Amino acid sequence: MTAETVDPAAWSCPAPLRDSPTVVMGHGGGGALSAELVEHLFLPAFGAAGATELDDCAVFAVGSARLAFSTDSYVVRPLFFPGGSIGELAVNGTVNDLAMSGARPLCLSTAFILEEGTPLTDLARIATAMGEAARAAGVRLATGDTKVVDAGHGHGVFVNTAGIGLIPDGLDIRPARVRPGDAILVSGDVGVHGVAVLSCREGLEFGTTLQSDTAPLHDLVAAMLHPGSPDARADIHALRDPTRGGLAASLNEIARAAGVGVDLVERSIPVPAAVADACGILGLDPLYVANEGKLVAFVAPGDADRVLAAMRRHPNGRGAALIGTVVAEHPGLVVARTAFGATRVVDLPLGEQLPRIC
Amino acid sequence: MTAETVDPAAWSCPAPLRDSPTVVMGHGGGGALSAELVEHLFLPAFGAAGATELDDCAVFAVGSARLAFSTDSYVVRPLFFPGGSIGELAVNGTVNDLAMSGARPLCLSTAFILEEGTPLTDLARIATAMGEAARAAGVRLATGDTKVVDAGHGHGVFVNTAGIGLIPDGLDIRPARVRPGDAILVSGDVGVHGVAVLSCREGLEFGTTLQSDTAPLHDLVAAMLHPGSPDARADIHALRDPTRGGLAASLNEIARAAGVGVDLVERSIPVPAAVADACGILGLDPLYVANEGKLVAFVAPGDADRVLAAMRRHPNGRGAALIGTVVAEHPGLVVARTAFGATRVVDLPLGEQLPRIC
């Protein structure tokens, strides 16, 4: 499309974008509204300069090397929560976006938008958390930027990180490679980060001992790729870190991108009692709650057992489980078989149940 | 330093950081307060994971290729101003940070923090401007992210871009290469962007026909590097785009980084009458006003004439001028000879005269 098609004066787009003339919280939720914003506003507006799709991670070649490139802004509230802060999220989140293409993260940029009046001790705590998370992940914080906005026009600290990673030779991990028969593995308990953050939101305090699961996942991915000898690589087709929109959003995105169906066995999905209890009280579905240190993997059936075993041997994959299978039926749909033998469609969420969770 | 040194409870740092327990506007101004924040908060907090200095642009090797990596967040107000919008700034600004290391920009990431309630037509205008600026600069908008914050906790649209560029073989452009005797060239009129944005700030309207000078500069840099034949490369030691803090901040940064003195001939600095008039009315110094489509170059004396001629042949360098010389005297200081033959020290600004200009 040319830029003329998005002349704002004549600008048209399908519902639900057209139903709201303004930005709503759901546009940042990683669900259907986010996807519409990309498809019907950003991609036409960017035109020839844009990617054909704005994936979490771009891949480009430099000489014979293939690099992964990804960015995320972090606006989580509160800034500090059980198990971490916006600082760990900003490092681990972008490390994980790179890792989901199989890349080894090399370096990150860090950009801060600070609200006038924010205590410098808060900023120092956040920056220290970033330094420690980067050291733990083995990435370098290579370049940065700081802007300040007037009080009342920001919210304490917003952090953006962009990251560059190196994709090992011959590795090709992306949604389009997913095939019927693939095993669907999750690396552990779902819904933990979202419930941990929610537990300390103003007005929503409830008793839980849950801590955010924020963690870097590239080392787990490396272990999954080489479950036996270092020479034999397991055939992992696609990887996702189910953050905003939870497991439901990630599975729906993959199902749509690959044109396949996803069959889940609901009782196989590891939901800790504390998450189930909190979700029960608040009327939330754990499949839609954000995770930070978990991944979902689509693996060729012949390799699924040894990849699962490798995950369980790794500290970040101890609770790994087989949760479903890719099928040729109902392409684009995620269907869960419930504990009672019934089936339900697990839709792409419109927005997010819990905004500003990352 | 280790992370322990920045334990927030025991955290200490020199004035002026210590004088303010909170973030002030000047921390985002690109002057002395910004430098203190990097030196005394970010670098100690990042520790071993951080760069030794957080330059505008990091350089790293992938195989035999050298890549430049840079990021900037854009928080300019108003979003639309004479000659452009936050969209053009977000693309050209990061393209230019890459170009100042001599890199050819390859791709950019785009990350938006949107305030709930922002008109989608504004966002479409901004995204269209980004697409057109990227096309004009020949860079790809490769990957992206969108977050939404509650009304009253953002300011319409904040944009972050990070960029990756490829540095030509053997090229080494950085402040440490600046030597006494180097010619200091500026590519055209200074202070234009800042005055153009200021002219439409609420409560500050004044009549001017000035338009922001936002432009990508990598093509001008390429022309400067090859002023004669494509084979012979001119010896350009350092480049800066004097944005926040204006020409004064850029010259001071280079003088300090290289341990040299800068002698300016004030009447040689191209200040258009409209900028001089506006600055006179408002009590501003044009040397401290932000530019967006200008660069300052430090060039080996033997190559200065032909680099200047090449600049003047290029559309983005028509108003180029020799404005001073690098000296061994007064290292770290920028000294201007005034029209009356007196000299004055052009200090690093503390913050910025005009906040949120980019």
Side-chain angles (χ1 to χ4, degrees):
Chain A
M1 286 194 211
T2 65
E4 283 73 10
T5 14
V6 287
D7 170 16
W11 186 56
S12 73
C13 58
L17 258 190
R18 193 170 43 196
D19 291 345
S20 169
T22 61
V23 171
V24 297
M25 291 305 289
H27 284 128
L33 281 166
S34 292
E36 289 235 346
L37 198 65
V38 170
E39 187 179 346
H40 296 291
L41 193 149
F42 286 123
L43 290 183
F46 288 170
T52 48
E53 54 182 41
L54 281 186
D55 206 354
D56 279 351
C57 187
V59 175
F60 68 102
V62 173
S64 60
R66 281 180 313 141
L67 295 176
F69 183 32
S70 185
T71 189
D72 262 324
S73 294
Y74 299 84
V75 300
V76 61
R77 280 302 164 288
L79 292 171
F80 306 97
F81 45 79
S85 73
I86 192 172
E88 286 93 349
L89 292 198
V91 170
N92 291 336
T94 295
V95 161
N96 291 347
D97 279 343
L98 296 171
M100 295 307 111
S101 67
R104 183 170 60 83
L106 298 175
C107 56
L108 300 185
S109 63
T110 64
F112 296 85
I113 298 177
L114 308 176
E115 185 185 11
E116 191 186 7
T118 301
L120 284 172
T121 47
D122 281 359
L123 184 60
R125 258 180 90 184
I126 291 165
T128 301
M130 292 176 73
E132 288 172 358
R135 241 184 332 271
V139 294
R140 189 172 173 78
L141 305 175
T143 185
D145 176 56
T146 304
K147 294 293 191 309
V148 178
V149 297
D150 317 74
H153 289 301
H155 203 176
V157 179
F158 298 143
V159 186
N160 175 279
T161 51
I164 301 174
L166 187 64
I167 301 176
D169 279 351
L171 193 61
D172 184 19
I173 296 180
R174 57 194 162 89
R177 290 198 62 228
V178 171
R179 293 281 176 276
D182 281 3
I184 304 172
L185 310 176
V186 71
S187 64
D189 287 342
V190 305
V192 176
H193 173 73
V195 170
V197 171
L198 194 61
S199 73
C200 60
R201 280 259 173 97
E202 197 179 0
L204 283 174
E205 285 83 356
F206 56 89
T208 175
T209 55
L210 282 180
Q211 303 236 319
S212 169
D213 57 351
T214 179
L217 295 173
H218 59 295
D219 193 57
L220 172 63
V221 172
M224 292 164 64
L225 281 168
H226 299 286
S229 81
D231 301 328
R233 192 181 271 166
D235 193 10
I236 297 174
H237 290 160
L239 293 168
R240 281 281 157 140
D241 55 333
T243 55
R244 287 183 294 179
L247 195 60
S250 289
L251 294 173
N252 270 281
E253 283 166 25
I254 299 268
R256 289 170 190 210
V260 298
V262 164
D263 272 1
L264 294 180
V265 179
E266 197 153 11
R267 67 169 185 279
S268 304
I269 300 171
V271 179
V275 169
D277 289 350
C279 286
I281 293 167
L282 297 164
L284 304 175
D285 183 334
L287 298 193
Y288 292 87
V289 177
N291 310 278
E292 282 293 330
K294 298 292 164 15
L295 62 78
V296 57
F298 293 72
V299 182
D303 284 347
D305 285 345
R306 58 195 194 110
V307 171
L308 184 60
M311 291 168 85
R312 287 177 172 163
R313 283 194 300 269
H314 193 280
N316 289 328
R318 275 199 210 102
L322 171 70
I323 60 168
T325 315
V326 176
V327 296
E329 294 78 40
H330 54 79
L333 279 190
V334 178
V335 174
R337 186 149 38 84
T338 70
F340 308 104
T343 57
R344 65 165 176 132
V345 172
V346 179
D347 255 341
L348 182 65
L350 192 65
E352 196 176 24
Q353 296 181 118
L354 316 170
R356 302 188 65 181
I357 214 79
C358 63
Chain B
M1 284 195 213
T2 65
E4 284 74 8
T5 15
V6 287
D7 171 15
W11 185 55
S12 73
C13 58
L17 258 190
R18 193 171 43 196
D19 290 344
S20 169
T22 60
V23 171
V24 297
M25 291 305 289
H27 284 128
L33 281 167
S34 292
E36 289 235 347
L37 198 65
V38 170
E39 187 179 346
H40 296 291
L41 193 148
F42 286 123
L43 291 183
F46 288 170
T52 48
E53 53 182 44
L54 281 186
D55 206 353
D56 280 350
C57 188
V59 175
F60 67 102
V62 172
S64 61
R66 282 181 312 141
L67 295 177
F69 183 32
S70 186
T71 189
D72 262 324
S73 294
Y74 298 84
V75 299
V76 62
R77 281 299 163 289
L79 292 172
F80 306 97
F81 45 78
S85 74
I86 192 172
E88 286 93 350
L89 292 198
V91 170
N92 291 335
T94 295
V95 161
N96 291 347
D97 279 343
L98 297 171
M100 295 307 110
S101 67
R104 181 171 61 82
L106 297 175
C107 56
L108 300 185
S109 62
T110 64
F112 296 85
I113 298 177
L114 308 176
E115 185 185 11
E116 191 186 8
T118 300
L120 284 172
T121 46
D122 281 0
L123 184 60
R125 260 181 88 183
I126 290 164
T128 301
M130 293 177 73
E132 288 172 358
R135 245 187 327 274
V139 294
R140 189 173 174 78
L141 305 175
T143 185
D145 176 56
T146 304
K147 294 293 191 310
V148 178
V149 296
D150 317 74
H153 288 302
H155 203 177
V157 179
F158 298 144
V159 186
N160 176 280
T161 50
I164 302 174
L166 187 65
I167 301 176
D169 278 352
L171 192 61
D172 184 20
I173 296 181
R174 56 193 163 88
R177 290 198 62 227
V178 170
R179 293 282 175 274
D182 281 2
I184 304 172
L185 311 176
V186 70
S187 63
D189 287 342
V190 306
V192 175
H193 172 75
V195 170
V197 171
L198 195 61
S199 74
C200 60
R201 281 258 173 97
E202 197 179 1
L204 282 174
E205 284 84 356
F206 56 89
T208 175
T209 54
L210 282 181
Q211 304 236 318
S212 168
D213 57 351
T214 179
L217 295 172
H218 59 296
D219 193 58
L220 171 63
V221 172
M224 292 164 64
L225 281 168
H226 298 287
S229 81
D231 301 328
R233 192 182 271 164
D235 193 12
I236 297 175
H237 291 160
L239 293 167
R240 280 282 157 140
D241 54 333
T243 55
R244 286 182 294 179
L247 195 59
S250 289
L251 294 173
N252 271 282
E253 283 166 25
I254 300 268
R256 289 169 190 211
V260 297
V262 164
D263 271 2
L264 294 179
V265 179
E266 197 153 11
R267 67 169 184 281
S268 304
I269 300 170
V271 179
V275 170
D277 290 351
C279 286
I281 292 166
L282 297 163
L284 304 175
D285 183 334
L287 297 193
Y288 292 87
V289 176
N291 310 277
E292 282 294 330
K294 298 292 165 11
L295 63 78
V296 57
F298 293 74
V299 183
D303 284 346
D305 286 345
R306 56 194 195 111
V307 170
L308 183 59
M311 291 168 85
R312 289 177 171 162
R313 283 193 299 270
H314 193 280
N316 289 328
R318 275 199 210 102
L322 172 70
I323 61 170
T325 314
V326 176
V327 296
E329 294 77 43
H330 54 80
L333 279 190
V334 179
V335 174
R337 187 149 36 85
T338 70
F340 309 103
T343 57
R344 65 166 177 132
V345 172
V346 179
D347 255 342
L348 183 65
L350 192 66
E352 195 175 24
Q353 297 183 116
L354 316 170
R356 302 188 65 182
I357 213 80
C358 65

